[in-house]
């Protein structure tokens, strides 16, 4: 087992309990000024209106270490307690969210399981910890089962309701997700519930409603919740990026980093944005900042950094270095995926499939198709269906690819890459008029979605003459 290291000393306060589980959202990408100033150039409601540094929050790492040590002592003093292991599990989960290190998730799971063994009834904290871990593993049925168990006796649990919403969202059950989040946000219209409502609206293609709800979410933010504030802005930046509003996206990512320096999601999104814009030096710098956070422990971000840097080298013609990094990413993802199948560890089937589909080897495409046929059994959002369609297309199953990409579009998604994929599949079938309609829709959604954008995203299309 790797040594456990704790990083990200800039994390200043707790992230809302459930907001971190939206990791399956795709990590996507104006060369903008990069001021080191702590002042914001944004206007309300996008600018952060509070002081980012609060008493006692300057060193979150040390704070969490002390909290872990406190509950570890409590557990050792009272081994039969149910509440102390549950509290320790929640702190482990906080550390996992702050660091991205898989080992903390596993420790949280072990502590929550021990808690339930000691206290089997009304132990909501332990159950919800296990639900969040199940969701991080993309075991959405288990996450919902555990959440429903809590809701039977605690109907007002916001955490449990939010897990239900995000699970339905990932499974492509948007009508149910919309009903659930509408009720939840009406009951408790805070930053977390409103951000989640905006994500459901984005998935349904309701851009105007999503924009308005994002603004409401930022208007509802509270001082001290820097993690939530940075995450909401990162999601809003990603939404703007996908609509071709690149300057706005970059500014929002930088505002998130002003609030929460070295915030991994913001750094990764910003790196991909810089890749798309051709500022490869800046992109590599952002990837390196993610790597600096943890040099000895495996994190859920490692494969993203490897793949992103490989793309940078490829775009600069450094094919040997690019292949080396891609091989490292593939090896890591294969290990994690195999572990996920055998032990319940954190696998990334969809991410591995996408990586395989970027190669020219038929065997890799067939492996990707096998992975996606398993993945689609548990996750049926637009991005998953798009990846399955890509795998079907690469393996010559063009008619099945068309059926799958149509299913993705029927969810209501307004994603330029998905429509572009639909256009290339239609062209391959000789449906030129339909293909042009899809390509026109790409321009409507994101007028900047050109060849450079496709290469930056690693869509794998340019290898086949599209």
């Amino acid at each position: 087992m790797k040594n456990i290291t704790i990083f990200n000393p800039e994390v200043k306060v707790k992230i809302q309990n459930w907001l971190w589980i939206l990791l399956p959202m795709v990590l996507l990408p104006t060369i903008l000024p990069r001021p080191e100033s702590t002042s914001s150039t944004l206007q309300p409601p996008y600018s952060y209106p509070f002081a980012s540094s609060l008493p006692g929050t300057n060193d979150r790492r040390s704070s969490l270490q002390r909290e872990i040590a406190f509950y570890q002592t409590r557990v050792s003093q009272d081994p039969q307690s149910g509440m102390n292991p549950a509290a320790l599990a929640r702190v482990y989960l906080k550390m996992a969210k702050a660091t991205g290190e898989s080992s903390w998730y596993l420790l949280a799971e072990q502590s929550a399981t021990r808690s339930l063994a000691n206290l089997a009834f009304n132990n909501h904290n332990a159950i919800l910890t296990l639900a969040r871990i199940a969701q991080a593993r993309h075991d959405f049925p288990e996450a919902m089962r555990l959440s429903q168990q809590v809701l039977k006796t605690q109907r007002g649990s916001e955490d449990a309701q939010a897990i239900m919403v995000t699970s339905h969202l990932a499974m492509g059950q948007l009508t149910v997700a919309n009903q659930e989040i509408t009720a939840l946000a009406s009951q408790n219209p805070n930053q977390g519930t409103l951000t989640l409502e905006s994500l459901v609206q984005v998935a349904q293609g309701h851009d105007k409603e999503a924009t308005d709800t994002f603004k409401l979410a930022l208007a509802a933010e509270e001082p001290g919740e820097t993690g939530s504030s940075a995450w909401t802005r990162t999601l809003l930046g990603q939404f703007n990026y996908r609509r071709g509003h690149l300057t706005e996206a970059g500014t929002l990512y930088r505002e998130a980093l002003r609030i929460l320096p070295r915030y991994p999601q913001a750094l990764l999104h910003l790196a991909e944005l810089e890749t798309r814009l051709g500022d490869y030096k800046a992109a590599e710098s952002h990837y390196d900042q993610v790597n600096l956070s943890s040099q000895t422990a495996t994190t859920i971000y490692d494969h993203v950094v490897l793949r992103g840097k490989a793309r940078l080298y490829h775009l600069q013609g450094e094919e040997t270095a690019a292949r080396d990094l891609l091989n490292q990413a593939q090896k890591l993802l294969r290990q994690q995926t195999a572990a996920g199948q055998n032990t319940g560890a954190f696998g990334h089937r969809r991410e591995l499939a996408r990586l395989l589909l970027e190669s020219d080897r038929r065997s890799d495409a067939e492996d990707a198709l096998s992975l996606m046929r398993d993945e689609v059994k548990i996750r049926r959002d637009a991005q998953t269906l798009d990846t399955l369609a890509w795998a079907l297309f690469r393996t010559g199953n063009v008619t099945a690819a068309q059926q799958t990409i149509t299913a993705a579009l029927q969810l209501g998604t307004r994603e330029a890459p998905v429509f572009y994929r639909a256009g290339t599949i239609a062209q391959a079938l000789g449906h030129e008029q339909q293909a042009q309609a899809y390509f026109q829709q790409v321009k409507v959604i994101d007028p900047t979605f050109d060849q450079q954008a496709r290469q930056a995203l690693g869509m794998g299309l340019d290898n086949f003459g599209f």
Side-chain angles (χ1 to χ4, degrees):
M1 181 176 177
K2 286 179 176 284
N3 293 329
I4 296 172
T5 61
I6 305 170
F7 72 91
N8 202 1
E10 310 298 336
V11 175
K12 299 187 176 8
V13 295
K14 68 183 182 74
I15 299 174
Q16 286 185 355
N17 286 336
W18 57 266
L19 205 52
W20 66 282
I21 54 182
L22 303 175
L23 282 174
M25 307 302 170
V26 183
L27 295 172
L28 295 174
T30 206
I31 299 176
L32 300 167
R34 296 175 183 80
E36 299 300 326
S37 168
T38 58
S39 62
S40 173
T41 59
L42 283 175
Q43 297 298 316
Y46 304 114
S47 60
Y48 185 64
F50 309 111
S52 58
S53 179
L54 299 173
T57 63
N58 286 326
D59 191 350
R60 185 60 171 161
R61 177 179 63 180
S62 296
S63 175
L64 287 173
Q65 284 177 314
R66 289 192 296 270
E67 199 172 353
I68 287 171
F70 172 79
Y71 283 112
Q72 285 176 334
T73 300
R74 294 282 295 270
V75 168
S76 65
Q77 291 173 344
D78 187 5
Q80 301 307 312
S81 169
M83 302 308 293
N84 289 326
L88 179 59
R90 289 175 69 86
V91 184
Y92 282 145
L93 194 58
K94 291 178 185 179
M95 189 67 81
K97 290 184 280 184
T99 65
E101 294 177 15
S102 301
S103 53
W104 290 115
Y105 291 110
L106 299 177
L107 286 171
E109 181 180 39
Q110 292 168 5
S111 190
T113 301
R114 177 177 180 178
S115 173
L116 285 169
N118 293 342
L119 181 63
F121 301 100
N122 294 324
N123 194 346
H124 298 145
N125 286 338
I127 293 172
L128 288 172
T129 295
L130 292 176
R132 295 186 193 101
I133 293 170
Q135 194 165 46
R137 288 181 175 135
H138 305 163
D139 188 351
F140 303 110
E142 176 65 4
M144 289 193 294
R145 184 189 71 80
L146 292 166
S147 298
Q148 287 169 339
Q149 187 176 334
V150 171
L151 290 170
K152 286 179 181 178
T153 57
Q154 195 180 40
R155 289 187 173 274
S157 172
E158 183 179 322
D159 284 359
Q161 290 174 298
I163 291 171
M164 294 293 294
V165 173
T166 48
S167 294
H168 285 303
L169 183 61
M171 296 170 74
Q173 298 167 352
L174 301 187
T175 300
V176 178
N178 184 62
Q179 292 170 347
E180 291 175 336
I181 189 55
T182 299
L184 179 57
S186 297
Q187 295 166 4
N188 194 1
N190 57 40
Q191 183 180 0
T193 59
L194 290 167
T195 298
L196 184 51
E197 185 175 25
S198 67
L199 291 176
V200 174
Q201 291 165 341
V202 169
Q204 294 175 307
H206 300 159
D207 284 10
K208 183 181 185 305
E209 292 87 342
T211 301
D212 293 341
T213 308
F214 267 123
K215 291 179 181 179
L216 290 174
L218 292 175
E221 66 185 336
E222 297 180 359
E225 294 290 344
T226 51
S228 298
S229 295
W231 181 238
T232 299
R233 285 171 176 80
T234 301
L235 291 174
L236 180 56
Q238 185 180 2
F239 172 74
N240 275 277
Y241 171 83
R242 291 175 174 178
R243 301 301 178 265
H245 305 150
L246 304 184
T247 300
E248 293 86 342
T251 306
L252 284 160
Y253 295 152
R254 288 189 172 84
E255 182 72 352
L257 289 168
R258 188 182 72 86
I259 299 167
L260 204 62
R262 291 190 182 177
Y263 182 48
Q265 281 87 355
L267 285 170
L268 291 170
H269 284 298
L270 190 54
E272 291 186 326
L273 172 63
E274 300 287 17
T275 301
R276 176 166 171 172
L277 295 166
D279 193 342
Y280 304 139
K281 182 177 179 181
E284 186 167 11
S285 174
H286 296 314
Y287 283 128
D288 287 340
Q289 288 182 63
V290 177
N291 268 343
L292 282 174
S293 297
S294 181
Q295 298 181 351
T296 60
T298 300
T299 79
I300 59 176
Y301 308 118
D302 291 345
H303 71 276
V304 183
V305 172
L306 288 168
R307 187 182 179 196
K309 293 183 75 171
R311 190 167 298 139
L312 288 176
Y313 290 133
H314 169 70
L315 291 170
Q316 296 175 87
E318 300 179 33
E319 296 301 333
T320 300
R323 280 195 300 271
D324 181 58
L325 289 174
L326 284 175
N327 288 337
Q328 291 181 49
Q330 186 178 134
K331 181 179 179 180
L332 177 62
L333 284 170
R334 285 190 183 278
Q335 290 173 342
Q336 293 175 341
T337 300
Q341 293 171 343
N342 297 325
T343 67
F346 298 90
H348 302 276
R349 277 186 299 228
R350 189 172 76 185
E351 289 76 6
L352 176 56
R354 287 174 172 165
L355 187 61
L356 292 169
L357 288 167
E358 290 181 28
S359 83
D360 294 323
R361 293 188 294 269
R362 169 81 181 201
S363 60
D364 284 346
E366 291 171 347
D367 286 347
L369 179 58
S370 177
L371 288 165
M372 291 312 301
R373 280 177 168 159
D374 286 336
E375 185 71 5
V376 80
K377 294 174 184 176
I378 59 171
R379 186 159 54 153
R380 292 187 63 86
D381 59 3
Q383 291 75 30
T384 301
L385 291 171
D386 172 55
T387 308
L388 175 59
W390 184 6
L392 288 164
F393 182 74
R394 281 289 317 277
T395 54
N397 301 297
V398 184
T399 300
Q402 184 189 45
Q403 294 169 348
T404 303
I405 203 69
T406 299
L409 295 174
Q410 286 174 342
L411 292 174
T413 182
R414 282 175 49 79
E415 301 290 340
V418 179
F419 276 91
Y420 194 90
R421 186 97 57 208
T424 62
I425 293 171
Q427 274 189 332
L429 289 169
H431 303 160
E432 189 61 36
Q433 186 174 357
Q434 184 183 45
Q436 292 307 315
Y438 285 137
F439 291 143
Q440 182 60 38
Q441 189 62 27
V442 170
K443 295 178 181 178
V444 171
I445 296 169
D446 181 356
T448 71
F449 194 80
D450 53 13
Q451 182 178 358
Q452 173 73 11
R454 295 194 297 276
Q455 288 180 329
L457 288 171
M459 288 187 66
L461 298 174
D462 296 301
N463 292 334
F464 305 99
F466 299 124

